[in-house]
Amino acid sequence: MYNNKEVSAVIVCRKGSVRVPSKNLLPLGDETVLSRKIKQLKNCKYIDRVIVGSDDERMLKIAKDNGVEPVLRPDFYCDEKVASANDMIANMMNLIKTDVVVWAHCTNPMISSKTYDDAIFAYFENIEKYDSLLSVVELKEHLWKDNQPFNYNPYAQRHTPARELPPMYMQDGGIFIQSWEQMKENHYFFGNAPFLFVVPQDEFLDINDMRDYLLAKALIESKE
């Protein structure tokens, strides 16, 4: 409990991944992508429950074997061809009940338990001003848009080093936090006024394709 609120981590995973087939079952060190995420969340001091929602019996078994709650999701809401992300979120919220949801994707395997706890702390500390939290990565790069420099002047008398540029932020997809009631109502990852929580650079890695997976695997195995 945090501030007398039950905090539940929610992992959704499905058997029909396209770009990296069965990516949640792939090995990362001595774990699978899914079991690694479960253990990261179980090690958080501010998370009371870990819930795995899936249409895949193999993934539900991993949840059971790791002592967390398996929730069978209907096939319709696991099919991206017919159900939107909003539909999927709404359905998952209808299958559970809690106070605060920490939506965690398996595909961000480098996020530490401490970072999840720091994000939950930041959510509660800022809830009077912001209605939710999403994790981002800070970017200081020379950016272009519509064939024009976007955030710097390359023709200035002095070149602006990237480190001196004003920071911009990229949503990394790793952590989303909001109340269960709000997520159930808005059918989305965050609300209208999210707090931007910056994750450490060395914890940013989102597995979108095989290259990302191989990089994550190499990084994790090099530390073990």
Side-chain angles (χ1 to χ4, degrees), residues 46-142:
Y46 296 144
I47 289 177
D48 303 297
R49 298 165 61 193
V50 178
I51 302 165
V52 175
S54 182
D55 60 336
D56 191 317
E57 289 297 334
R58 297 168 298 174
M59 298 180 194
L60 296 176
K61 183 178 186 302
I62 288 174
K64 292 178 186 177
D65 291 346
N66 282 274
V68 301
E69 301 174 43
V71 172
L72 179 63
R73 296 169 57 206
D75 291 341
F76 177 87
Y77 295 102
C78 296
D79 186 347
E80 291 183 343
K81 295 179 181 177
V82 295
S84 68
N86 306 73
D87 296 330
M88 177 269 293
I89 293 169
N91 173 252
M92 191 65 203
M93 292 302 98
N94 285 327
L95 295 174
I96 66 170
K97 186 173 183 179
T98 188
D99 293 319
V100 174
V101 173
V102 178
W103 193 277
H105 287 136
C106 292
T107 48
N108 300 82
M110 309 304 293
I111 298 178
S112 67
S113 302
K114 179 182 182 303
T115 296
Y116 282 110
D117 277 331
D118 289 345
I120 295 166
F121 178 82
Y123 167 79
F124 281 104
E125 287 294 297
N126 291 280
I127 195 60
E128 292 186 5
K129 184 177 179 181
Y130 301 92
D131 65 359
S132 52
L133 176 147
L134 68 93
S135 61
V136 296
V137 178
E138 183 180 282
L139 290 179
K140 287 190 175 184
E141 302 291 346
H142 299 100

Side-chain angles (χ1 to χ4, degrees), residues 8-224:
S8 297
V10 173
I11 306 169
V12 294
C13 45
R14 61 190 180 93
K15 58 188 173 185
S17 55
V18 177
R19 286 178 291 184
V20 184
S22 300
K23 64 183 174 184
N24 296 308
L25 300 174
L26 292 175
L28 283 178
D30 295 332
E31 306 285 348
T32 63
V33 171
L34 174 57
S35 63
R36 177 181 176 85
K37 183 56 58 184
I38 290 171
K39 291 186 177 181
Q40 286 170 335
L41 296 168
K42 284 185 69 177
N43 286 332
C44 294
K45 62 182 178 180
Y46 296 144
I47 289 177
D48 303 297
R49 298 165 61 193
V50 178
I51 302 165
V52 175
S54 182
D55 60 336
D56 191 317
E57 289 297 334
R58 297 168 298 174
M59 298 180 194
L60 296 176
K61 183 178 186 302
I62 288 174
K64 292 178 186 177
D65 291 346
N66 282 274
V68 301
E69 301 174 43
V71 172
L72 179 63
R73 296 169 57 206
D75 291 341
F76 177 87
Y77 295 102
C78 296
D79 186 347
E80 291 183 343
K81 295 179 181 177
V82 295
S84 68
N86 306 73
D87 296 330
M88 177 269 293
I89 293 169
N91 173 252
M92 191 65 203
M93 292 302 98
N94 285 327
L95 295 174
I96 66 170
K97 186 173 183 179
T98 188
D99 293 319
V100 174
V101 173
V102 178
W103 193 277
H105 287 136
C106 292
T107 48
N108 300 82
M110 309 304 293
I111 298 178
S112 67
S113 302
K114 179 182 182 303
T115 296
Y116 282 110
D117 277 331
D118 289 345
I120 295 166
F121 178 82
Y123 167 79
F124 281 104
E125 287 294 297
N126 291 280
I127 195 60
E128 292 186 5
K129 184 177 179 181
Y130 301 92
D131 65 359
S132 52
L133 176 147
L134 68 93
S135 61
V136 296
V137 178
E138 183 180 282
L139 290 179
K140 287 190 175 184
E141 302 291 346
H142 299 100
L143 303 177
W144 287 65
K145 181 181 179 182
D146 298 328
N147 211 41
Q148 297 292 324
F150 180 70
N151 62 338
Y152 78 109
N153 180 7
Y155 313 109
Q157 186 174 4
R158 175 183 175 272
H159 169 73
T160 305
R163 66 179 179 276
E164 295 180 10
L165 293 171
M168 303 186 74
Y169 300 96
M170 180 180 71
Q171 185 175 318
D172 78 316
I175 308 172
F176 303 99
I177 306 176
Q178 64 180 318
S179 72
W180 171 78
E181 288 185 351
Q182 179 173 286
M183 187 173 259
K184 189 172 186 289
E185 180 180 350
N186 67 18
H187 305 173
Y188 200 58
F189 298 107
F190 50 84
N192 293 323
F195 176 82
L196 301 186
F197 176 80
V198 180
V199 298
Q201 285 285 346
D202 62 351
E203 295 186 15
F204 167 58
L205 201 161
D206 190 6
I207 300 177
N208 289 311
D209 53 32
M210 186 57 68
R211 178 183 179 276
D212 294 333
Y213 164 67
L214 293 173
L215 177 58
K217 189 172 184 290
L219 287 170
I220 289 166
E221 291 177 354
S222 70
K223 296 179 181 180
E224 295 180 349

